[in-house]
Amino acid sequence: MKTKISELNPFNSGRLEHAFVWETIKEFYSKYNKNIKCLDYGGYDGMLMEELIKSNFTKNGVTVDLNLDIINKFKNTVSKYHQMIGIKKGKPLPFKKESFDVITIIGVIEHVHNQKYLLNEIYRILKPNGLIIIAVPGKHLFSFLDFA
């Protein structure tokens, strides 16, 4: 599937995986024409969620990450609509069943030991007819350098 990256996309000259996510969520948002609740799993500094909020796709954005130092560093610098939460490896995600319309996992799942557990947790907190976007590194000339 080819996705056209629009001029309005804040990632159009940067991270292509974030540009793809932005375009996909824009389409999902326009389909339902409502404010959607989004979770970025392993979102590190929260940059993706901040752009989704600035684009008015969500006023309910959550970034979770295992790196508590990064969470603590950025949690007080993000929008009031953006929550940054530290999570613990192998523990259930701290959300109720069917909490999110959209969940993104970008460049993270290939580093997760128990992927089945994570995907079951993601499915548990995803609303019916919700959207999961998972991106993993692609094969390229220098793939042999990626030891993950």
Side-chain angles (χ1 to χ4, degrees):
M1 173 173 85
K2 289 243 181 209
T3 300
K4 185 174 185 213
I5 307 300
S6 74
E7 294 287 324
L8 300 174
N9 190 317
F11 301 105
N12 67 5
S13 62
R15 296 186 62 181
L16 287 180
E17 62 275 11
H18 284 183
F20 168 77
V21 168
W22 191 90
E23 295 293 341
T24 304
I25 291 175
K26 180 179 89 174
E27 186 177 316
F28 183 82
Y29 171 80
S30 65
K31 179 178 176 183
Y32 290 97
N33 199 20
K34 67 172 188 162
N35 190 343
I36 56 180
K37 188 168 183 187
C38 299
L39 171 72
D40 187 16
Y41 182 92
Y44 193 66
D45 61 4
M47 182 178 74
L48 174 61
M49 191 59 62
E50 281 297 297
E51 289 299 336
L52 296 175
I53 291 167
K54 285 179 191 172
S55 300
N56 292 316
F57 298 148
T58 185
K59 293 211 181 316
N60 296 294
V62 179
T63 297
V64 297
D65 203 285
L66 290 172
N67 189 330
L68 297 179
D69 292 335
I70 292 297
I71 292 292
N72 289 329
K73 179 179 179 179
F74 288 100
K75 73 180 178 184
N76 294 322
T77 65
V78 297
S79 158
K80 68 180 180 178
Y81 302 113
H82 186 180
Q83 206 179 0
M84 293 190 71
I85 300 172
I87 56 174
K88 300 214 185 275
K89 188 176 182 177
K91 299 291 182 190
L93 294 171
F95 307 108
K96 294 178 183 172
K97 183 179 175 184
E98 300 177 1
S99 295
F100 295 94
D101 298 293
V102 175
I103 300 174
T104 60
I105 309 172
I106 310 304
V108 173
I109 199 161
E110 67 274 12
H111 302 286
V112 174
H113 177 70
N114 192 345
Q115 294 173 351
K116 184 176 180 179
Y117 177 79
L118 172 59
L119 292 173
N120 283 332
E121 273 297 286
I122 295 299
Y123 181 73
R124 177 184 69 79
I125 63 173
L126 185 69
K127 291 180 181 178
N129 299 314
L131 175 67
I132 300 174
I133 303 171
I134 300 174
V136 296
K139 292 277 187 192
H140 51 81
L141 179 61
F142 297 106
S143 292
F144 67 93
L145 294 174
D146 183 6
F147 297 110

